[in-house]
Amino acid sequence: MFFLKFQIGVLKRFLGVSHPMVEKSLYRLYEVSMKSQNLEEAEQALNKLLKVEEDRPSPRPQVVADISAKLGRVISGPDRANDSRKLLERALQLIEQEPSSNKQLYEILESLAQTPRLLREDKKAESFQRRALEVKESELGPEHKEVQASLTLLGKVLCDLGEYDEAEKCFQNVLKTQENLVGKTHLDLVGPLDNLANLLDQKGEFSQAEKIYQSIVEIEKKHEGYIGQADIKIEGHRPPNIENTS
């Protein structure tokens, strides 16, 4: 990373900050920083890229949107959720003004759905997540793994809202799709089953949740060397002072 930063400094000195080689090197610095989980360096690289783009005589809206969205994701977290949201909303506005790709649109929408969750604005999160799911499904088809991931996220947002019945429909839908795709003993079912069991725990349906955890253990037993968490949850998923209703 040191050499890359040194290279950027040299390029800026001799070619100018807006030269394509400087831009390419800053993107590379961002990618390397993300790979090493150095979010501070990633943020600095993106801020420099954003400034370079905004200082152009005619900034490119799609590029500004892309950098703003990346920056919004990098700084997402409880302490900077408002700043993250502003960047993502700006990216969304630019994308909607000059549509480019559905992929970019649903990625921004999905990122925006997570920011209100941190701010406890769950209805906004639901709105963004539903829209992301709609765009994704039209682009990729209902059985695509990314669509199923979005449906899972919508279920989690609905859980935050206390809309457990609607959340359960989402998780059941994901589970049914996965069963149709890979069968009933594949490890890909562990995640959907776990989400469903956690939901039933929240609803107070502890005996039903335990049955699902047991089914996860049975799936894991069929795959030698796989170490899961379901057996731990069977013993510890009930809140204190709740009697076993199974």
Side-chain angles (χ1 to χ4, degrees):
M1 190 178 296
F2 173 79
F3 175 76
L4 187 54
K5 293 171 72 174
F6 175 77
Q7 181 186 53
I8 291 170
V10 172
L11 290 171
K12 287 168 67 176
R13 180 179 178 184
F14 289 99
L15 301 177
V17 294
S18 60
H19 194 278
M21 288 185 67
V22 176
E23 183 180 25
K24 184 177 180 180
S25 296
L26 283 169
Y27 269 112
R28 177 60 180 156
L29 178 58
Y30 157 73
E31 290 168 354
V32 170
S33 300
M34 291 299 291
K35 191 172 182 179
S36 62
Q37 297 185 331
N38 189 334
L39 299 184
E40 184 176 350
E41 288 286 357
E43 180 183 353
Q44 290 176 8
L46 289 170
N47 274 320
K48 289 174 183 177
L49 279 166
L50 189 58
K51 187 177 187 309
V52 168
E53 189 60 37
E54 290 175 334
D55 286 345
R56 291 177 183 272
S58 299
R60 297 165 292 180
Q62 298 298 329
V63 176
V64 174
D66 181 63
I67 298 170
S68 297
K70 284 182 169 66
L71 187 54
R73 294 185 192 104
V74 166
I75 68 171
S76 63
D79 295 336
R80 302 180 68 183
N82 273 314
D83 293 334
S84 174
R85 179 170 62 181
K86 288 175 184 177
L87 285 161
L88 290 164
E89 286 177 342
R90 180 190 187 192
L92 179 61
Q93 184 179 23
L94 289 167
I95 288 296
E96 290 178 326
Q97 288 174 354
E98 295 188 25
S100 58
S101 73
N102 281 338
K103 184 176 187 296
Q104 193 175 21
L105 175 59
Y106 67 63
E107 285 179 347
I108 292 171
L109 286 167
E110 204 142 74
S111 297
L112 264 170
Q114 300 310 304
T115 303
R117 290 184 73 192
L118 296 173
L119 297 169
R120 308 310 303 166
E121 297 173 355
D122 297 319
K123 289 302 291 183
K124 286 185 179 180
E126 180 190 357
S127 176
F128 285 128
Q129 190 59 52
R130 285 191 184 279
R131 189 175 168 201
L133 176 61
E134 181 181 347
V135 176
K136 241 185 206 185
E137 191 168 352
S138 67
E139 179 81 359
L140 303 172
E143 293 187 347
H144 194 281
K145 63 180 181 180
E146 288 195 25
V147 174
Q148 295 302 301
S150 287
L151 189 55
T152 298
L153 285 173
L154 177 59
K156 292 180 179 180
V157 170
L158 291 168
C159 280
D160 292 343
L161 286 164
E163 296 181 14
Y164 297 128
D165 290 342
E166 289 299 310
E168 187 172 350
K169 290 178 185 177
C170 292
F171 295 148
Q172 289 282 13
N173 190 316
V174 172
L175 179 60
K176 183 177 179 180
T177 299
Q178 289 303 308
E179 286 178 341
N180 289 338
L181 289 173
V182 299
K184 295 189 176 183
T185 60
H186 197 280
L187 282 173
D188 285 354
L189 297 184
V190 170
L193 284 167
D194 192 59
N195 288 326
L196 186 56
N198 285 331
L199 170 64
L200 292 171
D201 261 346
Q202 291 183 57
K203 291 176 68 177
E205 298 177 13
F206 305 116
S207 61
Q208 293 301 314
E210 185 161 337
K211 289 178 183 178
I212 293 176
Y213 287 131
Q214 289 281 10
S215 70
I216 296 174
V217 172
E218 293 305 312
I219 291 174
E220 292 173 348
K221 286 178 180 178
K222 297 180 185 297
H223 299 270
E224 186 175 355
Y226 183 84
I227 301 174
Q229 298 295 317
D231 53 341
I232 297 174
K233 291 179 180 176
I234 286 172
E235 297 301 325
H237 73 278
R238 296 189 195 87
N241 302 320
I242 296 293
E243 295 181 0
N244 187 347
T245 58
S246 58

